């Protein structure tokens, strides 16, 4: 062999040993970090008490949201320089809520067992009705029952089982939220609960999926200094679909006084940053929490609440959190306004840069594959949200078809 041949330096047995070590690591990384899920992430999750929900709740929320939008037209016009309000009104009229949790926890409170039993069964019937294609039904839906702590565990498990009884199984699109996670090992118990419910109700193995609500400091940072939420994700495997930030429980547990509790407080930003990093490339979605300020009252109060919510939603989108909680019909107005505006504004520069990336032409930007992936992602999310059409994208970047962008994401930003 020539003196410069690299095979001279590393023997075949050594290469085999290196490949064995790295091959095992490759398999582990592929298992633990499979990448983004192919499904469309909801733009929001509405929470409605089980005492108040019925089949037509989404339609009523949409109608009330339209009335609020009409009354607050000057404020919304000021928040809409891109002219997306017609899209918002269309969304509110026909599909106002993408994702809804029927709440049997904090938003429901403690009631007599007979009352909660009745509400839990009725919740299951509502979910089953939405699954059959009821007009205006959410695309994704489920419940939040009481948590895993000793005081509420029995009640929460009973309600979850009664919801499934009322639904006659697991409706398509069903997910349940596990509140107040404090230890990663609690996820093991949730999996046991899923397995037992599947066995008892004759459901397919792995059919039940759940979200983890991150509303305690221990869910973010454990006593050993490790990120509890990261371990929880991997303990849950394919059953864990999302992480939802709990604004007020988390803030209170960190000692933040009520007047300062907010989605934009530094403790909230820290928690959500850890959640984002823990969930990255796992296929687990991250959702922001809620605001306690609803657009209710006189015109000035409503205007201030709408402006505040629009700013908070936009802020979350800018930080890579594409989902959040909505607790009032008025929140739907500024949710969709912020979502459409964010993606509509982001699309032209992203399509321009991707066109240059596809053409491999020199420009002011020298984008790496990971950047191309991110540019493709913002356009794909905007298409999924309905903020623009594929023709709109092609008008800016002729090579930026949805298929091309999807392939770019799948290949990790590497061109074929």
């Amino acid at each position: 062999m020539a003196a410069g041949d690299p095979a001279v330096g590393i023997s075949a047995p050594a290469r085999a040993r290196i490949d064995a070590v790295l091959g095992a690591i490759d398999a582990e990384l592929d298992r633990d970090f499979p990448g983004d899920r192919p499904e469309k992430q909801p733009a929001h999750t509405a929470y409605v008490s089980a005492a108040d929900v019925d089949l037509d709740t989404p339609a009523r929320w949409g109608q009330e949201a339209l009335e609020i939008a009409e009354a607050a037209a000057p404020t919304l016009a000021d928040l809409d320089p891109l002219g997306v309000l017609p899209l918002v009104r269309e969304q509110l009229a026909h599909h106002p809520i993408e994702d809804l949790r029927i709440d049997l926890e904090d938003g429901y409170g403690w009631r007599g067992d007979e009352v909660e039993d009745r509400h839990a069964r009725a919740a299951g019937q509502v979910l089953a009705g939405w699954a059959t294609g009821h007009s205006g039904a959410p695309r994704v839906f489920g419940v939040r029952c009481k948590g895993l702590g000793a005081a509420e565990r029995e009640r929460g498990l009973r309600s979850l089982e009664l919801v499934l009884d009322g639904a006659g199984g697991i409706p398509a699109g069903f997910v349940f939220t596990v509140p107040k996670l404090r230890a990663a090992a609690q996820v093991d118990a949730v999996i046991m609960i899923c397995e037992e419910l599947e066995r008892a109700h004759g459901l397919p193995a792995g059919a039940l999926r759940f979200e983890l609500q991150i509303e305690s400091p221990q869910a973010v940072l454990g006593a050993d200094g490790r990120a509890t939420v990261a371990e929880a994700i991997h303990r849950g495997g394919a059953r864990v679909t999302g992480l939802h930030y709990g604004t007020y429980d988390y803030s209170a547990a960190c000692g933040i006084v009520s007047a300062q509790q907010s989605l934009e407080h530094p403790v909230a930003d820290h928690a959500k940053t850890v959640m984002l990093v823990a969930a990255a490339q796992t296929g687990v979605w991250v959702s922001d929490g809620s605001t306690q300020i609803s657009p209710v009252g006189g015109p000035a109060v409503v205007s201030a609440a709408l402006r505040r919510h629009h700013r908070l939603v936009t802020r979350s989108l800018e930080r890579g959190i594409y989902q959040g909680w909505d607790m009032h019909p008025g929140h739907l107005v500024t949710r969709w306004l912020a979502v459409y505006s964010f993606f509509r504004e982001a699309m032209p520069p992203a399509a321009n840069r991707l066109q240059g990336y596809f053409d491999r032409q020199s420009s002011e930007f020298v984008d790496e594959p990971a950047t191309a992936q991110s540019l493709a992602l913002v356009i794909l999310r905007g298409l999924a949200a309905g903020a623009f059409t594929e023709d709109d994208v092609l008008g800016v970047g002729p090579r930026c078809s949805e298929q091309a962008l999807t392939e770019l994401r799948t290949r990790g930003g590497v061109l074929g």
Side-chain angles (χ1 to χ4, degrees):
M1 292 184 182
D5 192 326
V8 172
I10 302 178
S11 67
R15 284 177 180 271
R17 292 194 299 273
I18 293 168
D19 286 342
V21 171
L22 294 179
I25 294 172
D26 289 341
E28 183 177 327
L29 290 172
D30 288 344
R31 181 197 68 212
D32 292 341
F33 302 98
D36 294 336
R37 297 218 307 273
E39 306 103 294
K40 173 191 172 185
Q41 182 176 4
H44 69 148
T45 302
Y47 269 76
V48 182
S49 168
D52 302 323
V53 74
D54 61 32
L55 281 171
D56 296 321
T57 292
R60 282 199 304 276
W61 272 46
Q63 183 58 42
E64 186 172 343
L66 284 168
E67 293 168 2
I68 291 170
E70 182 66 25
T75 296
L76 298 180
D78 189 41
L79 295 173
D80 183 33
L82 300 180
V84 301
L85 273 171
L87 288 175
V88 173
R89 293 191 181 96
E90 182 75 10
Q91 184 82 36
L92 295 175
H94 296 101
H95 199 70
I97 297 177
E98 268 202 307
D99 185 13
L100 189 148
R101 293 294 166 277
I102 299 177
D103 197 9
L104 287 154
E105 202 232 2
D106 284 352
Y108 176 81
W110 285 92
R111 307 178 189 225
D113 283 340
E114 183 179 343
V115 174
E116 184 161 342
D117 285 354
R118 184 173 69 252
H119 283 152
R121 287 194 182 94
Q125 293 166 0
V126 169
L127 297 174
W130 287 339
T132 63
H134 186 80
S135 177
R139 178 172 57 85
V140 183
F141 43 76
V143 294
R144 178 176 69 168
C145 297
K146 292 176 175 64
L148 303 172
E152 67 267 19
R153 183 185 309 143
E154 183 176 353
R155 181 64 258 184
L157 290 176
R158 178 174 176 82
S159 291
L160 178 57
E161 189 154 15
L162 289 172
V163 167
L164 296 177
D165 282 343
I170 303 177
F174 177 83
V175 62
F176 68 96
T177 305
V178 178
K180 296 178 174 56
L181 180 79
R182 297 189 70 195
Q186 288 176 312
V187 174
D188 299 345
V190 179
I191 292 173
M192 292 170 63
I193 292 166
C194 290
E195 292 171 345
E196 277 299 295
L197 289 173
E198 289 163 356
R199 179 197 59 77
H201 293 264
L203 303 171
L208 281 168
R209 301 194 301 169
F210 56 88
E211 304 155 335
L212 300 173
Q213 194 168 353
I214 307 304
E215 48 187 333
S216 75
Q218 297 79 31
V220 173
L221 188 67
D224 58 2
R226 296 193 298 176
T228 307
V229 64
E231 183 181 351
I233 288 172
H234 296 289
R235 280 178 179 257
R239 290 190 188 267
V240 179
T241 64
L243 306 175
H244 287 224
Y245 177 65
T247 312
Y248 301 101
D249 284 49
Y250 192 93
S251 299
C254 288
I256 309 304
V257 298
S258 59
Q260 303 302 322
Q261 293 174 3
S262 165
L263 295 177
E264 55 190 344
H265 192 280
V267 300
D269 283 342
H270 171 262
K272 289 179 287 189
T273 300
V274 175
M275 290 163 62
L276 278 172
V277 174
Q281 299 180 322
T282 65
V284 172
W285 292 330
V286 175
S287 173
D288 211 337
S290 64
T291 175
Q292 82 277 39
I293 299 176
S294 298
V296 176
V301 174
V302 170
S303 177
L306 290 172
R307 290 178 184 277
R308 183 177 189 274
H309 187 249
H310 182 270
R311 175 175 58 78
L312 290 173
V313 175
T314 301
R315 185 180 188 274
S316 293
L317 291 166
E318 290 171 348
R319 284 155 177 76
I321 303 176
Y322 301 105
Q323 184 177 352
W325 286 14
D326 290 328
M327 310 295 285
H328 184 274
H331 291 154
L332 303 183
V333 179
T334 34
R335 171 71 57 185
W336 289 114
L337 179 58
V339 167
Y340 284 139
S341 298
F342 175 81
F343 289 113
R344 181 72 70 88
E345 184 175 24
M347 185 274 285
N352 266 317
R353 288 175 66 176
L354 280 170
Q355 182 67 28
Y357 185 78
F358 283 128
D359 291 343
R360 299 186 183 277
Q361 294 174 346
S362 59
S363 69
E364 61 180 308
F365 299 105
V366 183
D367 290 321
E368 297 182 350
T371 303
Q373 271 195 294
S374 180
L375 293 168
L377 175 62
V378 74
I379 296 177
L380 290 171
R381 285 188 178 275
L383 285 169
F388 44 76
T389 67
E390 184 177 27
D391 286 342
D392 294 328
V393 179
L394 294 174
V396 179
R399 296 188 62 181
C400 298
S401 67
E402 185 172 0
Q403 179 179 346
L405 299 182
T406 301
E407 291 175 355
L408 190 67
R409 287 283 297 161
T410 304
R411 293 196 301 266
V414 179
L415 296 176

